[in-house]
Amino acid sequence: MKAYDHKRIEKKWQALWEKTEAHKAREKKGRKKAYLLIEFPYPSGEGMHVGHIRSNTAMDILARKRRAEGYEVLYPIGWDAFGLPAENYALKTGIHPSIITKKAIDNFRGQLKRLGFSFDWSREVNTTDPKYYKWTQWIFLQLYRQGLAYKHKATINWCPKCKIGLANEEVVDGACERCGTPTEKREKEQWMLGITKYAERLDRDLDTVDYLPKIKLQQRNWIGKSEGYEIDFSVGGKKIPVFTTRPDTLFGATALVLAPEHPLLSELLRNISNQKDAERYISEARHKTDIERTAEGKEKTGIELKGVKAVNPGNGEEIPVFVADYALAHYGTGAVMLVPAHDERDFAFAKKFGLPVRRVIEPLFVSTGAEKMHEGEPVVKREAVCAVVRNPKDDTYLCVSWKGVRMNGLVTGGLEEGEDIVEAAKREVLEETGYKNLRLVEEPSWIIQTKFYHRIKQQNRWARFHHVFFELKDAKREKVGEKEAALHEVVWKKKGELKDFFSVFEGDFVASLVGNKDFVHTGTGILGNSGEFDGLESEEAKAAIAKKVGGRKKITFKLRDWIFSRQRYWGEPIPMIHC
């Protein structure tokens, strides 16, 4: 059998397609229409790469399928040919970008035709052609007339050598992609496109489109709608507004964090004892891109402004002020209230800088299973303790398993009025298990609230459990009383076994908490350590606290207006002249 001569066969049919304009879209009455579009390639000097072929092939398959189904298919091709690479090459070689670009386009065109893609070549466009970009200029003018294109001062990546603004993608390891000079953040007057005017609609209309759920989620995260409040903190007599979606955590704020570009910094720096160190940190932070500054898992960095304090408007407490690169000037207000107990990022920052962690939200769990509250019956409120006892010798935890009732968990019990929490926890451990020699590991700070039907006591309970953490000093035990011994037996479990062992409905949460000092509760619950607002549920407390401190309702978006004016020689000119 003869070898398949693909070059000869493909060349023959490609020539025929071109001669007969086989893939040209024509107006035919009564015929269904389909418009398919690839992302026009940037014609680089190196020619096509496998990514072009991969994406083009997928769309070409669809174009051919539609034609076979009887559609008239419009499948155009074009070149997104303005850009920095051609300009860089021109600076390096002295060859005009138009010459370089034409050569690259000719190469791309030949490659695409040899691959046999079924583009309508009669509709080929080139963004560097004045006949094309006059229409992009026309669109710009329409946006300007509608107030959607405007000039505004904005912080951008600036290359001091090239004297030009750079996109985040044009900054590599903090340096200009073109010349390697370290970039910096500068405030410059820029042309902007007002896409944020459509932020609400962009978010809302995702409900109406047939996208995969994960794609919708990505889009929603990109738009980043947040409903919350602006609350003023006082620093040196000046008001600094902070945007937060969680005013219910205000009493847990133990520091104020400012973005390196915050406008008040220049004034604050004059009144601190570590001015030079702070200025150095701010300069370094401004050379980083937003992506570098907010990367997942990045080690938290910052510097305290020594000599100034902020006042927490919730409790009047003076708290330290930091500058940190993870705070962004263009998100919210450029100032963040640090609540380490209820935000993982804040906790990592607080842990590094030794800041207090104050828990002000007590998780609430309501049983919907066998322990569901009985409707119409009274609810008994109870303060209680939960003893978390670890045996350091084999890293196991002390549990009890009730006899006659499928109920397994940690040692718990009621707390009498005025009774010391630690002593009450020790008493419950001694009464239920006989262990008497315990070492206190952590003062009671974790409080969990539960609503359930107590099957043993046969009553609705709303219990507030104070968790106390101990280690077992030794295995010495006293004999457990007959009544307690008849109710339950002692069991030691590894941390990994707790989740499956616990039968209590809040067991998954408690299992996550046990043995994890860095556990952060980011959800809602009941307020504690919050003065007059103690006992309120989070949603009710948000409005109440915001009202008390003069907070203002606000909706913010991560979406920002598009900076449009990275003007350079090899790019379509913005059709505006300011004399």
Side-chain angles (χ1 to χ4, degrees):
M1 189 175 83
K2 279 186 179 181
Y4 173 61
D5 187 354
H6 69 277
K7 288 184 179 178
R8 184 181 63 82
I9 298 292
E10 289 176 7
K11 193 173 182 181
K12 171 190 169 182
W13 289 107
Q14 286 163 12
L16 183 64
W17 293 342
E18 191 155 352
K19 184 179 178 182
T20 60
E21 296 184 315
H23 304 129
K24 183 176 180 177
R26 294 173 171 84
E27 191 67 47
K28 291 184 180 176
K29 267 193 173 182
R31 199 164 188 184
K32 294 180 290 185
K33 297 174 183 177
Y35 173 41
L36 303 176
L37 185 68
I38 63 163
E39 188 175 359
F40 290 162
Y42 175 79
S44 67
E46 289 82 9
M48 293 178 68
H49 55 70
V50 72
H52 293 111
I53 298 163
R54 176 181 176 271
S55 59
N56 292 3
T57 299
M59 191 62 84
D60 199 68
I61 290 168
L62 188 55
R64 291 175 182 275
K65 179 176 182 289
R66 287 285 181 261
R67 291 191 191 100
E69 291 170 339
Y71 285 81
E72 191 61 37
V73 175
L74 173 58
Y75 186 31
I77 182 63
W79 317 106
D80 186 4
F82 277 129
L84 191 62
E87 195 172 311
N88 285 347
Y89 190 80
L91 288 169
K92 187 177 177 182
T93 64
I95 302 171
H96 196 280
S98 63
I99 298 169
I100 301 159
T101 301
K102 183 182 183 307
K103 189 177 178 182
I105 288 173
D106 290 343
N107 183 36
F108 260 67
R109 188 187 297 109
Q111 289 177 322
L112 286 172
K113 287 188 173 183
R114 287 196 299 276
L115 283 161
F117 292 127
S118 60
F119 295 120
D120 181 351
W121 288 99
S122 71
R123 287 175 167 81
E124 179 183 352
V125 297
N126 181 343
T127 60
T128 68
D129 184 343
K131 287 182 289 189
Y132 177 90
Y133 70 68
K134 78 172 185 180
W135 293 110
T136 64
Q137 293 178 315
W138 178 86
I139 290 170
F140 182 91
L141 292 172
Q142 308 318 304
L143 293 170
Y144 177 77
R145 286 165 187 150
Q146 295 298 322
L148 294 170
Y150 64 96
K151 273 212 158 182
H152 176 70
K153 278 191 175 180
T155 303
I156 61 169
N157 302 311
W158 179 260
C159 175
K161 185 177 179 183
C162 298
K163 292 182 172 50
I164 201 165
L166 302 172
N168 284 333
E169 295 78 13
E170 294 164 349
V171 179
V172 180
D173 296 327
C176 173
E177 180 186 51
R178 171 191 280 179
C179 67
T181 302
T183 59
E184 56 191 57
K185 295 285 187 182
R186 280 202 188 175
E187 196 178 64
K188 291 275 186 182
E189 196 171 61
Q190 304 290 309
W191 278 108
M192 314 282 285
L193 293 184
I195 57 176
T196 54
K197 292 188 178 182
Y198 300 93
E200 182 68 47
R201 183 177 166 189
L202 285 167
D203 185 79
R204 185 181 65 244
D205 286 1
L206 282 169
D207 295 333
T208 67
V209 293
D210 185 22
Y211 291 174
L212 290 172
K214 67 177 182 180
I215 295 173
K216 283 190 180 186
L217 181 61
Q218 286 173 341
Q219 290 290 304
R220 288 199 194 280
N221 289 341
W222 176 67
I223 296 165
K225 181 180 179 180
S226 295
E227 297 185 37
Y229 293 84
E230 257 187 22
I231 293 173
D232 292 331
F233 281 64
S234 175
V235 179
K238 300 274 185 180
K239 287 182 179 179
I240 294 186
V242 170
F243 173 78
T244 178
T245 60
R246 296 294 305 273
D248 54 321
T249 67
L250 179 62
F251 286 77
T254 56
L256 182 69
V257 177
L258 304 179
E261 301 83 9
H262 196 283
L264 196 61
L265 270 180
S266 57
E267 188 175 329
L268 294 178
L269 289 173
R270 295 197 293 267
N271 301 312
I272 62 173
S273 59
N274 59 336
Q275 183 178 351
K276 285 186 178 178
D277 290 339
E279 287 174 342
R280 190 181 307 114
Y281 176 83
I282 290 166
S283 176
E284 289 171 359
R286 286 177 173 176
H287 281 82
K288 297 176 184 175
T289 66
D290 290 355
I291 295 169
E292 290 171 323
R293 285 165 59 170
T294 58
E296 195 74 30
K298 169 190 165 290
E299 184 185 356
K300 296 293 176 283
T301 67
I303 188 165
E304 183 181 355
L305 302 183
K306 294 180 179 177
V308 294
K309 296 286 184 183
V311 177
N312 183 329
N315 52 19
E317 179 186 8
E318 285 195 339
I319 56 177
V321 180
F322 282 79
V323 177
D325 62 3
Y326 78 84
L328 302 177
H330 56 73
Y331 181 66
T333 64
V336 177
M337 69 176 199
L338 196 86
V339 185
H342 303 293
D343 183 282
E344 289 173 351
R345 188 176 61 174
D346 291 355
F347 179 83
F349 191 90
K351 188 178 178 184
K352 179 167 181 177
F353 292 98
L355 297 169
V357 178
R358 187 177 301 137
R359 297 187 180 102
V360 293
I361 303 294
E362 300 169 6
L364 173 65
F365 296 92
V366 181
S367 175
T368 56
E371 295 90 11
K372 183 180 178 181
M373 278 185 165
H374 290 191
E375 286 186 28
E377 293 185 18
V379 177
V380 177
K381 287 194 172 185
R382 194 80 194 272
E383 295 289 320
V385 291
C386 178
V388 183
V389 182
R390 175 177 169 268
N391 186 345
K393 288 186 177 178
D394 58 4
D395 197 25
T396 55
Y397 289 85
L398 179 62
C399 302
V400 290
S401 181
W402 289 70
K403 298 174 181 178
V405 181
R406 189 187 171 278
M407 197 162 72
N408 308 316
L410 299 170
V411 176
T412 61
L415 183 65
E416 301 305 323
E417 190 173 345
E419 188 177 12
D420 180 81
I421 294 170
V422 175
E423 293 306 313
K426 286 181 177 178
R427 170 177 55 75
E428 289 294 340
V429 172
L430 183 63
E431 288 177 3
E432 295 188 11
T433 71
Y435 288 102
K436 60 182 182 177
N437 293 327
L438 307 177
R439 181 178 69 83
L440 181 65
V441 173
E442 186 183 339
E443 291 289 337
S445 59
W446 269 104
I447 298 174
I448 295 175
Q449 302 206 24
T450 58
K451 291 181 178 181
F452 65 103
Y453 183 76
H454 198 306
R455 287 180 286 169
I456 307 299
K457 305 290 185 182
Q458 295 188 341
Q459 59 184 205
N460 287 331
R461 281 280 178 90
W462 184 345
R464 189 167 175 259
F465 285 99
H466 300 256
H467 285 66
V468 189
F469 295 81
F470 298 104
E471 277 192 354
L472 197 66
K473 288 182 183 177
D474 56 49
K476 290 179 183 177
R477 296 174 71 183
E478 289 185 1
K479 188 177 179 181
V480 177
E482 287 184 17
K483 184 182 176 183
E484 293 291 344
L487 287 175
H488 39 62
E489 60 182 337
V490 175
V491 185
W492 287 91
K493 290 287 180 181
K494 290 277 188 186
K495 184 177 186 297
E497 299 172 324
L498 293 176
K499 196 170 182 179
D500 293 328
F501 175 73
F502 286 159
S503 59
V504 291
F505 58 93
E506 74 277 15
D508 284 359
F509 183 90
V510 176
S512 301
L513 176 65
V514 168
N516 183 4
K517 286 188 175 181
D518 292 350
F519 187 79
V520 176
H521 175 58
T522 58
T524 57
I526 306 293
L527 266 68
N529 292 323
S530 299
E532 65 189 273
F533 304 100
D534 283 359
L536 292 181
E537 291 201 21
S538 287
E539 287 307 313
E540 185 184 1
K542 285 178 182 179
I545 291 176
K547 183 179 179 182
K548 176 81 175 181
V549 300
R552 304 166 294 279
K553 261 194 174 182
K554 183 130 187 193
I555 296 175
T556 68
F557 296 88
K558 283 183 182 174
L559 182 69
R560 286 290 168 264
D561 281 352
W562 183 21
I563 297 176
F564 190 69
S565 57
R566 287 190 298 277
Q567 273 287 266
R568 48 176 58 91
Y569 177 78
W570 197 237
E572 57 263 43
I574 288 176
M576 305 289 282
I577 296 173
H578 283 262
C579 298

